[in-house]
Amino acid sequence: MNHPRFLLAAMLSLAASLGHAAGLKFVHIADDADGPAIDAAVWSPCAEAPQKVKVKGTTVSAVLDCPIAAEKMPLIVISHGYGGWYLGHHDTAEALADAGFMVVAINHPHANHADMSEANGLKPLRRRPADIKRTIDFMLGAFPDAAGIDAQRIGFYGFSQGGYTGLVIGGANPDFNKLPPRCADPKAVNCPPPTSQVQTAGHSLPAESLTHDARIKAIVVADPLSVVFQTADSVKDVQVPLQLWASQLGGGAGASPKDIATLAGLLPARPDFRTVPNAVHFSFLTPCPPQSRNDACVDAPGFDRAAFHKAFNAEVLAFFRKHLMDRKQSQ
């Protein structure tokens, strides 16, 4: 079902909810027996005036190390796509933090824009859900401001492979035999099948199952890697409230509009399914500076990414408010 209704009303709703900057701090989750170290960015509500903060060439509007009030806030975990990083969806993180959520976005280890050494094959796909579980464990435990988080109100947002990650966390079991080949060199041809690309270096991963996490109570996924979820059996255990977004024009490997529509029809609990007219896969990434020449910044002619993100962020915020903030009132 297509919903191009995230327009003026949603934009006005978001504008009315914002009035402060998002606090921003960076954390490091140490390696352990379950996986390698994870770097993360954490946003939280902040009453101070926003500042322009530059992080590795990217400028964000935030207040560095703004004190976190010790109140029980819902937590949203953000997972990036192939070759992405923890600031790839910073505008969405800022909007959620401005509205009263704590947000943590991670760099999936050895599979992010700065380190792609283990980005291909099955290993990163198997490890991604475990990365999310370890991040939640950290945020509820060793994180210095863990007292500010309500452990009963945790949500998830993911894009592309991050969307795949959210589906698995929510109970899905992918069929990796459906994966398209991916070479380390994107210009290479005759890539080996995914099952022969499994890397054995580093931490081992259990082969019998993937990580699911019932602590996550609401999930938003955008243009998820969905070719691995094309049977009812693969998603039969996904019962968590789900908002599913698809770009009309696609362009992501394993995330075709057709596959995403099939996924929407297979989910046992009807998702809040939206198709974005004239959007391409990368349209879900945060708006780019005007001078950027990155391929991920190129949209279809006539598509206004900045305007779309204002509406998109408002719809994501409304979904999480309904299923996490309202959840506290009903308990």
Side-chain angles (χ1 to χ4, degrees), residues 106-199:
I106 70 171
N107 280 350
H108 286 281
H110 310 305
N112 60 75
H113 84 301
D115 177 5
M116 296 286 283
S117 59
E118 296 180 4
N120 297 304
L122 295 186
K123 183 175 182 178
L125 293 178
R126 289 187 178 278
R127 190 168 61 202
R128 273 175 161 269
D131 294 341
I132 302 304
K133 179 184 181 300
R134 292 176 59 224
T135 299
I136 295 173
D137 290 344
F138 171 83
M139 295 299 293
L140 297 181
F143 180 55
D145 294 295
I149 301 172
D150 186 343
Q152 302 304 312
R153 296 188 293 155
I154 301 176
F156 175 94
Y157 169 69
F159 163 68
S160 195
Q161 285 194 10
Y164 150 89
T165 305
L167 290 164
V168 173
I169 278 287
N173 292 291
D175 179 0
F176 288 133
N177 291 317
K178 303 295 185 182
L179 279 173
R182 187 194 292 276
C183 294
D185 179 358
K187 297 181 180 180
V189 296
N190 298 322
C191 303
T195 51
S196 68
Q197 296 174 348
V198 181
Q199 301 178 30

Side-chain angles (χ1 to χ4, degrees), residues 254-309:
S256 72
K258 179 181 177 181
D259 287 342
I260 297 172
T262 298
L263 166 65
L266 291 171
L267 287 161
R270 184 180 179 88
D272 178 6
F273 181 36
R274 321 292 185 91
T275 295
V276 185
N278 203 32
V280 299
H281 185 63
F282 290 124
S283 296
F284 291 106
L285 293 176
T286 198
C288 301
Q291 69 275 16
S292 178
R293 298 180 181 275
N294 192 308
D295 289 345
C297 296
V298 178
D299 291 295
F303 187 85
D304 187 335
R305 191 183 298 196
F308 161 62
H309 271 250

